[in-house]
Amino acid sequence: MPTQTAPSSPPTTPPAVTGARAWLPVGALSLGIAILVASEFLPAGVLPALAADVGVSEGTAGLAVAATAIAGAFTAPSIAVLLPRADRRLVLLGLLLAAALSNLAVAVAPGFAVVLVGRLLLGVAIAGYWSLAFGAGVHAAPGRQRLVASALAFGTSVATVVGVPLASVVGDTVGWRTAFGGAAVLSLLSAVALAVALPSVPAHPTAGLRMLREALRNRLLMAGIGFVVLVAFGNFAAYPYIRLAIDRVDPGATTWMLLAWGVGGVVGPILAGVLARWLRPLTAAAPFGLAVALLLTAVAPSVPVLTVAVVLWGVSLNAVPAATQLWVARAEPVRTESAISLQVTAFQVAITAGSALGGVLLDGYGVRPLLVIGAGAAVAAGLGWAFVRLPRA
């Protein structure tokens, strides 16, 4: 059974804050992550036009999304090591400015090489922001961990639901470059909002390489990170091909079925925030829910059954980031910054690996085996969280 490494100093729990003192900084952080995640998925909404304009195939242009995830996997654990003493507020502002520069670079890119560089920079911004945002939010709103985690996950879910269709509409109406230019402007506006709402956030005294090494020695935390890899891998082995799974049942239902997934995606983090006081059952239930949803999607004989599966998929998947963020913070209450950075790395590695495996298997075996493989990985993650005991809050 994994055990928790003893913290170097006992964590303190300041009294909870309420009202605008909690909501303004947390809302600004949530807005920032929403803009970053929407920027991450922008290419999916404008892919044909982007590919044609910069002179590459659509498959090659799809690397613009993969590059972001790969850069994020390397950035998440290293940003605190490179900036151990920097005010986290300034780092977060710098990352939003980097996202603005990234989107602007893509908007004016003369060729695909510049697009790729811009997307790598965005990966740095997203992973760094995710790694630091939870700790900054808890510092600004002490005692409101559940609010911070669910707000950040809510921002991500809204961006995932709205980002691709909105980019598609803007791209079709005024051009894909305008879509990226708009994302650059929104990144700047979110930086302004964060500068106004978030107070100074000093770095933890042990932040940096020492904190990361100590977090890596926490066997309980590393078990949880392994479960994160499993559940994220399970989803992203199947999710890029959700449209194919829907088309198998009814090609005419694709648009509103994806909307149903999005509605579930918005409900997921809210539900996780409400149920977070029962953290161990929650972290186990979300992967089990995802597994049931994937299996139902694989065997759905009709649109009503598929609708239930797709909504459950959206709810379960989008409850995972908030639940697991709270879980790793509980498993490593002193070195939370490093714990969250490892969670972000786990997600990025799993996204890359799951999407790659899905792409390899899809042509030869179709979409159903991907859904079954994803369900198996999710069940393994749920069992892990069900049997690993967390320390008391």
Side-chain angles (χ1 to χ4, degrees):
M1 180 71 68
T3 56
Q4 183 187 13
T5 301
S8 55
S9 59
T12 58
T13 305
V17 298
T18 57
R21 288 181 59 204
W23 282 105
L24 286 177
V26 173
L29 287 164
S30 181
L31 175 63
I33 198 64
I35 299 302
L36 289 169
V37 172
S39 298
E40 180 176 15
F41 291 107
L42 257 182
V46 298
L47 197 63
L50 186 157
D53 200 357
V54 299
V56 297
S57 70
E58 291 183 14
T60 300
L63 293 174
V65 176
T68 304
I70 292 169
F74 285 101
T75 299
S78 61
I79 190 162
V81 174
L82 296 174
L83 301 168
R85 299 291 172 262
D87 186 322
R88 280 10 190 175
R89 174 177 178 269
L90 295 178
V91 177
L92 289 166
L93 290 172
L95 292 168
L96 288 173
L97 294 176
L101 179 61
S102 161
N103 285 316
L104 182 61
V106 176
V108 301
F112 187 64
V114 176
V115 171
L116 211 54
V117 170
R119 298 297 294 179
L120 288 168
L121 179 59
L122 182 67
V124 171
I126 292 172
Y129 193 97
W130 253 122
S131 298
L132 302 178
F134 180 79
V138 172
H139 177 86
R144 304 299 297 272
Q145 288 90 341
R146 284 188 288 163
L147 169 65
V148 175
S150 58
L152 292 174
F154 180 78
T156 300
S157 299
V158 169
T160 304
V161 172
V162 175
V164 173
L166 182 61
S168 181
V169 170
V170 173
D172 291 344
T173 305
V174 292
W176 70 271
R177 293 183 185 272
T178 303
F180 278 96
V185 172
L186 291 174
S187 299
L188 288 174
L189 292 176
S190 65
V192 172
L194 194 69
V196 171
L198 185 68
S200 175
V201 183
H204 191 279
T206 64
L209 187 59
R210 174 188 168 193
M211 178 186 281
L212 181 61
R213 284 200 308 263
E214 291 175 347
L216 288 168
R217 286 198 291 264
N218 183 335
R219 289 187 291 164
L220 174 63
L221 172 65
M222 296 313 297
I225 296 301
F227 305 149
V228 170
V229 171
L230 283 171
V231 69
F233 174 85
N235 177 74
F236 285 99
Y239 178 70
Y241 315 105
I242 186 174
R243 182 164 185 167
L244 299 178
I246 294 169
D247 288 348
R248 183 187 63 79
V249 179
D250 184 358
T254 299
T255 300
W256 65 265
M257 200 71 74
L258 291 174
L259 179 61
W261 187 97
V263 171
V266 172
V267 171
I270 299 174
L271 189 64
V274 171
L275 300 178
R277 67 182 63 195
W278 300 286
L279 188 55
R280 185 180 176 190
L282 173 64
T283 48
F288 285 137
L290 176 61
V292 171
L294 293 174
L295 290 175
L296 268 180
T297 303
V299 302
S302 63
V303 169
V305 175
L306 183 62
T307 302
V308 172
V310 166
V311 172
L312 180 60
W313 189 345
V315 171
S316 301
L317 172 67
N318 288 280
V320 167
T324 57
Q325 199 166 58
L326 291 167
W327 195 98
V328 299
R330 177 86 65 83
E332 183 50 275
V334 174
R335 294 170 282 270
T336 303
E337 188 174 279
S338 290
I340 298 295
S341 74
L342 292 171
Q343 181 213 23
V344 174
T345 299
F347 266 105
Q348 299 294 343
V349 169
I351 289 170
T352 305
S355 301
L357 178 67
V360 169
L361 295 180
L362 180 68
D363 291 339
Y365 301 96
V367 72
R368 275 182 169 175
L370 304 182
L371 294 163
V372 174
I373 290 170
V379 166
L383 289 172
W385 273 309
F387 287 103
V388 172
R389 188 177 298 277
L390 270 173
R392 289 184 180 274

